[in-house]
Amino acid sequence: MSSVQLVEVGPRDGLQNETKVLSVDAKVELISRAVDAGVGRIEAVSFVNPKRVPQMAGAEEVMSAVPRSDDVSYIGLVLNRRGLERALTAGVDEVNVVVVSTEEFSQRNQGCSVAEGISAAIDIVRETRAASVFSTVTIATSFGCPFSGEVAASWIGEIIAQLVHGAAPDEIALADTIGVGVPAQVRALADIAAAEAPGIEQRWHFHNTRNTGYANALTALDVGASALDASIGGFGGCPFAPAATGNIASEDLLYALDRSGLSTGVDMDAVIKAADWLGVALEKDVPALLGRAGGFP
């Protein structure tokens, strides 16, 4: 049986767009449930300004309380040098730095131009490597932008080339931030990423806004993805993207992977229970379908 890494982003992307702000204890509970389910990589926190994204407040407190194990790698998302300093001090195992591919979204999301974002990411990757910490660069709006519309795959290739020339990260993640992508785009971007960043692992991040997220994820596996992001319960979205909807749900993705003969080492039933718990904590219906559909056969 082949295998693929599931990167659980629920504690970060899953919570950052929710109206209800969870306590530090609740965030730790969510992360602990993911660990108990067997998830090996968890994007646990985001070191951003809590005044802009109050849902991400308490990152240091969360990191000081999460269960530690050699089998679990905790990822901290950063946007700038200050965020990196906080992440390294908090003891993250991995750093994920975001570069936005379009100008208006870059300004709204992190207050800088695309060129400035690329330059900052290169500096962060260098410092992360110096600290012997694994680095990922996520290219947001790789498939399309809510303000600028279509994003050419060739432009994403140029961004990747600049990153690799400046300081090649350990992993490149291509994000469909608003859920507009289709499998043909996945294939085109995978080919370009492989050409511009040979030997660098590809991670993919999909939202299911137009019901193409799972098809995109399975297509990414066909073209060499090493890791797929997903969120417990299918919660998620971006506070700076109008009408942003949730990530692909971890439990629904696990169902597709398990039925396709791909091993993740994650207990799907435990993830469903975690999703039910999160729905209660957020006082919302769970977007994922699997828990409602029941088991199979």
Side-chain angles (χ1 to χ4, degrees):
M1 177 181 280
S2 300
S3 62
V4 62
Q5 289 182 327
L6 183 145
V7 180
E8 178 54 56
V9 299
R12 196 276 302 172
D13 203 353
L15 300 182
Q16 71 176 5
N17 205 38
E18 291 299 322
T19 302
K20 184 171 181 179
V21 178
L22 295 189
S23 67
V24 167
D25 287 345
K27 293 174 184 177
V28 173
E29 173 70 16
L30 174 60
I31 292 166
S32 298
R33 286 173 177 267
V35 171
D36 291 343
V39 179
R41 294 179 73 189
I42 301 172
E43 196 158 280
V45 288
S46 177
F47 294 92
V48 296
N49 187 339
K51 292 181 180 178
R52 297 197 73 203
V53 190
Q55 296 88 340
M56 294 293 99
E60 285 84 356
E61 291 82 356
V62 171
M63 286 303 303
S64 70
V66 293
R68 295 284 186 167
S69 167
D70 291 340
D71 297 330
V72 180
S73 184
Y74 290 115
I75 306 166
L77 183 139
V78 306
L79 301 180
N80 50 39
R81 182 182 295 273
R82 172 60 182 147
L84 174 65
E85 292 171 354
R86 291 176 60 198
L88 295 178
T89 300
V92 300
D93 301 297
E94 306 180 33
V95 167
N96 180 14
V97 55
V98 177
V99 172
V100 179
S101 74
T102 60
E103 293 295 341
E104 185 170 354
F105 196 89
S106 184
Q107 290 289 351
R108 289 176 181 244
N109 194 65
Q110 49 211 87
C112 68
S113 68
V114 175
E116 290 168 336
I118 293 170
S119 178
I122 289 170
D123 287 343
I124 288 169
V125 169
R126 288 173 178 166
E127 293 192 28
T128 302
R129 181 177 296 119
S132 300
V133 172
F134 188 93
S135 64
T136 301
V137 175
T138 292
I139 304 176
T141 59
S142 286
F143 293 75
C145 172
F147 309 108
S148 305
E150 296 288 346
V151 175
S154 58
W155 171 233
I156 302 301
E158 290 184 39
I159 293 175
I160 293 172
Q162 291 181 54
L163 291 168
V164 171
H165 178 74
D170 297 300
E171 179 180 69
I172 290 175
L174 296 164
D176 186 8
T177 307
I178 57 172
V180 294
V182 296
Q185 287 178 283
V186 175
R187 294 185 184 278
L189 285 170
D191 287 345
I192 287 173
E196 298 292 351
I200 295 179
E201 295 181 355
Q202 290 183 18
R203 173 176 153 193
W204 297 80
H205 179 100
F206 298 111
H207 289 246
N208 201 41
T209 310
R210 292 159 180 82
N211 289 324
T212 57
Y214 300 98
N216 290 340
L218 294 176
T219 302
L221 290 175
D222 286 342
V223 293
S226 59
L228 295 170
D229 288 2
S231 171
I232 287 173
F235 292 99
C238 177
F240 305 107
T245 61
N247 300 74
I248 57 173
S250 300
E251 55 269 45
D252 291 344
L253 178 61
L254 285 167
Y255 177 84
L257 296 177
D258 288 349
R259 296 278 292 166
S260 300
L262 292 162
S263 173
T264 60
V266 180
D267 184 336
M268 183 172 64
D269 290 335
V271 173
I272 292 173
K273 291 177 182 178
D276 290 340
W277 174 88
L278 182 57
V280 172
L282 291 173
E283 300 176 357
K284 290 184 67 175
D285 291 336
V286 177
L289 296 176
L290 187 59
R292 283 177 275 162
F296 182 86

